[in-house]
Every structure is written in C-alpha cells, then in structure tokens.
Amino acid sequence: MKRLSFIAILGLLLLTSCENRNGGEQTFQSVECDPPLDWLEQFIPMPDIVQGGARKMPPPQDPAPTPYYDAYQYSDFLRITVPSADSIQLMHHFLVPCAYSVKGCVVLRDNVIELSEKTRKPAGIIPPCICGTTITTSVNTSHLNYTSIFLPEYELTFPLHLYEGLDTLIMIYTDVPEEPTVYLTVSGLLLDSYGRNLREAQVVLQDQSSTVLDTLYTNRDGYFHNNFITIDKVSINDTLSVIVLEPFYNYYDTTKIAFADMDVEYDLWSIHYYAYLEKQLKKK
C-alpha cells in the first residue's frame, strides 16, 4: 500500500525568475489548464457532511467527488513522490496565465531540495485567462536523506521525510474550507390565546449554551422569519430554543426544537437546517 504524507502550510505567492543552476538546456512545459485533481482524495477526504445531524432530505446517490476537488484548481500545492531509492518526482500545482510555458529547476545541495520555476510568455500571444496547472519535474539522487525543501519564489522552507514509496503533499495555499458551513433558517406563525395573529412579538433564538443566535419580531400578520444564520457544528442531540416575549399582552413562551427534527439540505460546502414553529400562546 502506498504511504502518504500531508503538510498543510499557507504561504505567500512571490513570482520570480528561475535560473538554470543545473547547467544544460531544460525543456519548457506548456501549461495545460485545469487538469483533473481527483487524485487529491488520497490526501484530502471530502468533508464529513453526515456526522452531526439527521437528514430529512437524503443525499443524492453516489455523488461524484469531481466538483469538490475541482475547487482546488485555485489552490497552490506541491506533491513529492519517491518512486525508487534514487529518484524523486515533484509536481507543482499553481495558477499561471493560460498559454504560458514553465520550466522547472531542481537543485540538490546537502540535505535540502531547492525547487524553482521560470515562466515564459509566448511571443504575440495575449493569455485569455488565469488557470490552474501542474508542472512536473524529476531528479536522480544518490540518497533520500533530505530534511527540507526550499521554494525560493515563495521564500519558504518545508520539512521533509522521504523514503521509497512515500507520497507527500505540501499545501502552500488554499481557500477551500475544511468543513461545510452550517446555516440555520427559522420561521413561524404565532397566535394569541384567542387565535388572532400576534403582531410585534419578540422572538429570540438560542442554542443549547443559551447563546443568542438572532432576535426577530413578528409582523402584522404574526409571522417571523430569518435567513442564513451561521452557527457552530451541531450534533443530533442539540436543540434550538425559540423564546417569545410580548409584555403588553403578557405572553411569554419557550419552545425547544430538536435539530434532528428539522429539515436539512446540504452540499459539499454547506449544511442548512430549516425550522418552522406555529403556535397558539397562552397568557402567563
């Protein structure tokens, strides 16, 4: 079984020129826009959107991972592969102008691998876009006792632990969230003790720790509604408290709604809970 290693570090992109320090002419590689990145699943699993809540709206069958990993086209990362004891392969994925060419340079010195790249704009071509691309470089080596890799364009050094059969992924930059964002939408209708719409009543939403998530007011028809409260990740046992206060008519009520009883929609990037409350209140 292939062994994997993952290093997640954010860095600043600084583009500089890459000098050919190894001697001899090196071939430029044309940029291929937006290559498939499904192989990232070996290092970065899709977010666990099942754990932590029930679902009234079931997920689609056999969802394809492709859209999730396509989002990493805008990320900057480096994959290091050791196919044998005397060879190291490097694949750098980053954003470059379309139609550019890129030349990779690898220098081995002591226990440090230095990787740099030089981009070249073809004469007379106006790049139509910016795209994600992967540049591959390989080098023969007499040992694997390298302890770090240095990227001069970034002015960054990353620790390494190489041995035959190891794949390492260094995430230099990504804005892909590690977990989906959780949203909550609450709406409802409140009636007084005579069955009439309760207008201008205050509705306070609280989580299990009594943290106020939002404060709403019913309209002239007794309805209240909010949109897209961002909340912390919830578990199947968590509840939402809906607290109603109308001091003029002496109405006060607290209703707890279990997240497990809410309707839920989700995708790779978000989980959205929907709660609805319709209640006739009694005077206190």
Side-chain angles (χ1 to χ4, degrees):
M1 176 178 286
K2 183 174 290 186
R3 290 161 291 190
L4 306 174
S5 174
F6 177 68
I7 304 172
I9 302 176
L10 301 182
L12 177 65
L13 179 60
L14 300 174
L15 295 179
T16 60
S17 62
C18 170
E19 299 297 334
N20 183 0
R21 303 186 184 93
N22 283 336
E25 185 63 26
Q26 296 190 31
T27 303
F28 277 82
Q29 177 178 345
S30 296
V31 169
E32 178 184 355
C33 281
D34 303 332
L37 298 176
D38 290 355
W39 59 267
L40 275 173
E41 189 176 6
Q42 303 172 57
F43 300 90
I44 307 172
M46 286 192 295
D48 183 1
I49 58 177
V50 176
Q51 180 181 356
R55 282 190 174 75
K56 297 281 183 155
M57 303 175 187
Q61 297 298 316
D62 300 324
T66 301
Y68 177 74
Y69 294 107
D70 281 349
Y72 284 93
Q73 294 289 357
Y74 302 99
S75 301
D76 195 338
F77 54 82
L78 177 67
R79 177 176 180 170
I80 304 172
T81 302
V82 185
S84 62
D86 60 355
S87 178
I88 300 174
Q89 296 177 354
L90 303 104
M91 187 197 73
H92 187 195
H93 179 90
F94 59 113
L95 292 177
V96 297
C98 303
Y100 268 43
S101 297
V102 183
K103 176 174 62 178
C105 303
V106 180
V107 177
L108 304 177
R109 53 168 64 93
D110 297 327
N111 293 325
V112 179
I113 300 174
E114 181 177 311
L115 172 66
S116 55
E117 286 129 353
K118 181 177 180 180
T119 59
R120 182 174 67 182
K121 175 185 175 182
I125 294 180
I126 299 177
C129 63
I130 300 293
C131 69
T133 187
T134 51
I135 303 301
T136 57
T137 310
S138 62
V139 62
N140 294 327
T141 178
S142 59
H143 64 85
L144 298 176
N145 299 324
Y146 297 99
T147 57
S148 62
I149 181 166
F150 174 57
L151 308 179
E153 283 89 352
Y154 298 76
E155 297 182 353
L156 290 175
T157 300
F158 300 96
L160 280 182
H161 178 64
L162 301 180
Y163 52 90
E164 186 175 356
L166 174 71
D167 283 2
T168 299
L169 182 72
I170 298 175
M171 187 62 69
I172 302 168
Y173 168 81
T174 185
D175 59 1
V176 178
E178 293 183 3
E179 294 184 347
T181 304
V182 182
Y183 298 101
L184 173 66
T185 292
V186 183
S187 58
L189 171 64
L190 299 178
L191 306 175
D192 64 16
S193 57
Y194 300 101
R196 298 172 300 196
N197 298 341
L198 187 62
R199 63 176 63 184
E200 298 181 358
Q202 185 184 68
V203 181
V204 179
L205 308 179
Q206 289 186 352
D207 63 14
Q208 288 204 144
S209 64
S210 298
T211 300
V212 175
L213 303 175
D214 202 357
T215 300
L216 314 170
Y217 292 89
T218 56
N219 62 16
R220 61 184 299 175
D221 297 319
Y223 286 95
F224 64 92
H225 179 79
N226 82 304
N227 276 314
F228 301 108
I229 302 174
T230 302
I231 61 176
D232 294 333
K233 189 174 181 180
V234 297
S235 74
I236 196 170
N237 297 317
D238 289 344
T239 58
L240 173 73
S241 294
V242 183
I243 304 170
V244 180
L245 175 64
E246 196 353 306
F248 185 77
Y249 293 103
N250 196 26
Y251 287 106
Y252 181 85
D253 180 81
T254 298
T255 301
K256 291 186 178 294
I257 304 175
F259 279 88
D261 295 331
M262 298 181 188
D263 288 340
V264 182
E265 291 180 339
Y266 67 97
D267 55 33
L268 291 170
W269 312 112
S270 64
I271 302 175
H272 200 143
Y273 288 89
Y274 297 89
Y276 181 79
L277 174 66
E278 183 172 333
K279 190 167 187 178
Q280 183 173 359
L281 306 177
K282 297 180 179 180
K283 289 187 177 182
K284 297 295 183 181

